[in-house]
Amino acid sequence: MGQERQNNQRELDFRARGEGEARASGIEEAETTVANVGNESPRYGTELMEEICKRTNIREAMERVIKNGGAPGVDGMYASQLRGHLNKHWPSIRQALLEGSYRPLPVRGVEIPKPDGGKRLLGIPTVMDRLVQQAVLQVLQPKWDGTFSAHSHGFRPGHRQHDAILEAQQYIAEGYTWVVDLDLEKFFDRVNHDRLMSQLAKRIGDKRLLKLIRSFLQSGAMSGGIVSVTEQGTPQGGPLSPFLSNIVLDELDRELESRGHRFVRYADDCNIYVKTERAGHRVMDSVSRFITRKLKLKVNTAKSAVARPEERKFLGFTFRTVDDKLTRLISDRSIERVRRRVRMLTARTRGKSLGNVIAGLNSYLNGWAGYYRFTEVIDQLAKLDQWTRRRLRQAPIRYCTTETDRLPIRW
């Protein structure tokens, strides 16, 4: 009886890591049997939910959710409240997960502006649902990620947007100087649930986990106090959605590989590189048919095109020949976007000190430049720096002086 109480207390303790954690983790791991998965047949066992509910896995997921913070879901709970909530309720939550009776709440629908001026519907799960999704992700992603295509770079550990850009640049340098730029219309909103679950069921033998993932897909969205039913799509905003999107588009990757295409994909941005315009149109037609008929998705014909790489942008960059060398540089649209943001940050400055305005600029420019320093035309950043300083000199800022050129704007 005393030993049972001690084990239960270990389950409840989600405070900072203690000395007894290694032993407690060992006890829990001994209670959990995970099927041995061979390389040839990557099918995972029927006890994945036990692996997901391991205390070490839940603790790691909890720390990630707390660190990420973010807005609360429909229940109003903040990430900072998660630790206390788990200390009180984890045994019943764990039981519901293991029994297959856990039911996520609807996501909170929030519209956020897109860079092109449109709006995107973001679904914010509750903090508790974010924890469960993160715990599922931590178990499935290491098992699954190694089976994804090497040409897929989005939402994967060890892959970056810059990797995708370098791969595209390499194809162009090899003579594949026409790009089939595919844009999937409202991809996250159109994912077919039955096809996705069919792909998951090929490898996941734990029916409780399959039921849990489907419940997340169909949890619905609440906006204005009204819950709408979710019949397709993966709500953007949860930790699990990017991983599920890669499973959906892995079918596309495999099809392109089987056809021998040179391609690179980052999430729903997919570029295929060919040698002639005629080949590009042929590929565009055949791949669009595959996407529509097999994946049950839709190609946005208005935004998709067969063109020279310098006429298109990919992940904020484009490619041009400079001094007889193929060069990557920041796209014109990305330059205009940063200028628009700087105008906004320096326009509402009446009554502000110069230091406060520059602090706001640096907060934005640090992140922007951290990504776009990947350009091979450094002069682009120098010109933006000069333009930004001119904006500051012209702005109605309190205590503004002509010494703006010496101020620490960090690119």
Side-chain angles (χ1 to χ4, degrees), residues 344-364:
M344 184 192 74
L345 291 171
T346 55
R348 303 171 185 174
T349 55
R350 192 170 298 279
K352 291 186 179 180
S353 71
L354 187 59
N356 286 338
V357 173
I358 289 180
L361 276 173
N362 282 336
S363 178
Y364 168 67

Side-chain angles (χ1 to χ4, degrees), residues 58 60-86 90 93 97 102-108 123-136 216 237-240:
I58 294 297
E60 182 182 343
M62 176 193 69
E63 298 292 352
R64 179 68 61 87
V65 170
I66 292 174
K67 180 180 178 180
N68 289 343
V74 295
D75 62 351
M77 182 191 296
Y78 286 87
S80 59
Q81 299 172 280
L82 179 59
R83 195 186 306 271
H85 181 80
L86 285 176
W90 173 241
I93 296 168
L97 288 168
Y102 183 90
R103 289 293 176 270
L105 292 174
V107 298
R108 182 164 67 87
I124 303 176
T126 64
V127 171
M128 191 62 235
D129 288 340
R130 296 206 291 266
L131 170 88
V132 175
Q133 287 192 35
Q134 180 65 35
V136 171
F216 277 120
L240 197 56

Side-chain angles (χ1 to χ4, degrees), residues 16-36:
R17 183 179 296 270
E19 293 180 0
E21 174 142 343
R23 193 161 63 93
S25 300
I27 292 172
E28 204 166 355
E29 288 181 13
E31 294 174 349
T32 303
T33 303
V34 181
N36 184 25

